[in-house]
Amino acid sequence: MAETGAASIAKPAKLASSAVTAALASSAAHHSSEGGVAVSDLPQLHSADKKFMSGAYAVAGPNHDSFTGEGYPVNEFMVFLSGGVTLTSADGTVLEVKAGDSVSIPKGWLGKWDSNGYEKFYVVYDPEKPVE
């Protein structure tokens, strides 16, 4: 992960798409389980104020989420490397996102996220608070 602190020299962070699967399986990634499904997160860069973050993320099986109330928690740009997601907005609009597609979700989006698994690059931003 690229450092952005005053004691280190800021450098660009690179992760080739051909190396994502191996990098997400490595000990450098954060591994967890959501609903019995393996999840791997490999943050690459955090801004000094922690309001911007980029990295790679994988979910190894079906996952479903509903965003109600305050909605989607951050502004997020994603490029799907494998798998995909179906995004159903609160007004019923359906957006299919597949490997090779990119999608942006605004903070506050209301709807449902349905997937059978995926790998993606992501960039998240929240002007109001740090992102984790």
Side-chain angles (χ1 to χ4, degrees), residues 12-28:
K14 177 182 176 182
L15 178 58
S17 58
S18 61
V20 168
T21 300
L24 284 165
S26 76
S27 61

Side-chain angles (χ1 to χ4, degrees), residues 8-55:
S8 64
I9 298 171
K11 298 178 184 176
K14 177 182 176 182
L15 178 58
S17 58
S18 61
V20 168
T21 300
L24 284 165
S26 76
S27 61
H30 304 270
H31 302 282
S32 61
S33 177
E34 292 180 13
V37 176
V39 174
S40 299
D41 186 8
L42 184 63
Q44 277 189 288
L45 179 73
H46 259 106
S47 62
D49 64 2
K50 303 283 189 196
K51 293 180 180 182
F52 169 95
M53 182 172 68
S54 65

Side-chain angles (χ1 to χ4, degrees), residues 110-127:
L110 301 175
K112 293 195 300 186
W113 171 291
D114 294 295
S115 175
N116 288 318
Y118 58 87
E119 286 183 347
K120 69 179 182 179
F121 285 130
Y122 66 86
V123 175
V124 294
Y125 174 71
D126 189 331

